[in-house]
Amino acid sequence: MKNLFIYYFTILSPIGILIWLSRTDLVDSTLFVLLLFFYALIFRTYVDGKRLADKNIIPKKDIWKMIIPGKRFEYFKELYLKK
């Protein structure tokens, strides 16, 4: 996931889908909150770690460490700004 456009599409499209599902009443509020927690804790941890591993900034075995609070900010430039 070295391409910045694909990365942003990958992290933003689930939020758009969640909002659409919520507005069309296809999910209730409890399921929405559960899916939001899944997105924030599991999905984003994996996607951010995968991007850093693909760019050879961290080893693949350390992807799970991205769940530690503040780890994303440590790699802010590599995740969000640099191609």
Side-chain angles (χ1 to χ4, degrees):
M1 214 178 302
K2 293 181 181 181
N3 188 335
L4 195 59
F5 176 75
I6 293 173
Y7 173 70
Y8 276 115
F9 181 76
T10 304
I11 65 172
L12 294 176
S13 60
I15 291 294
I17 293 170
L18 278 175
I19 291 171
W20 176 74
L21 288 173
S22 176
R23 288 192 179 218
T24 58
D25 292 330
L26 294 174
V27 294
D28 63 343
S29 60
T30 305
L31 182 58
F32 177 78
V33 170
L34 288 174
L35 289 172
L36 199 58
F37 277 119
F38 175 80
Y39 171 80
L41 297 176
I42 307 298
F43 181 76
R44 281 299 303 275
T45 296
Y46 177 74
V47 170
D48 291 349
K50 179 78 171 124
R51 177 167 167 80
L52 291 172
D54 286 348
K55 292 175 77 173
N56 294 322
I57 296 171
I58 64 170
K60 286 191 181 217
K61 64 179 181 147
D62 290 342
I63 289 176
W64 69 271
K65 290 182 181 178
M66 294 303 293
I67 202 166
I68 298 171
K71 273 293 195 189
R72 287 190 187 110
F73 296 116
E74 185 177 330
Y75 301 107
F76 186 84
K77 284 184 181 178
E78 290 85 5
L79 280 172
Y80 303 113
L81 302 176
K82 292 184 179 178
K83 287 187 175 189

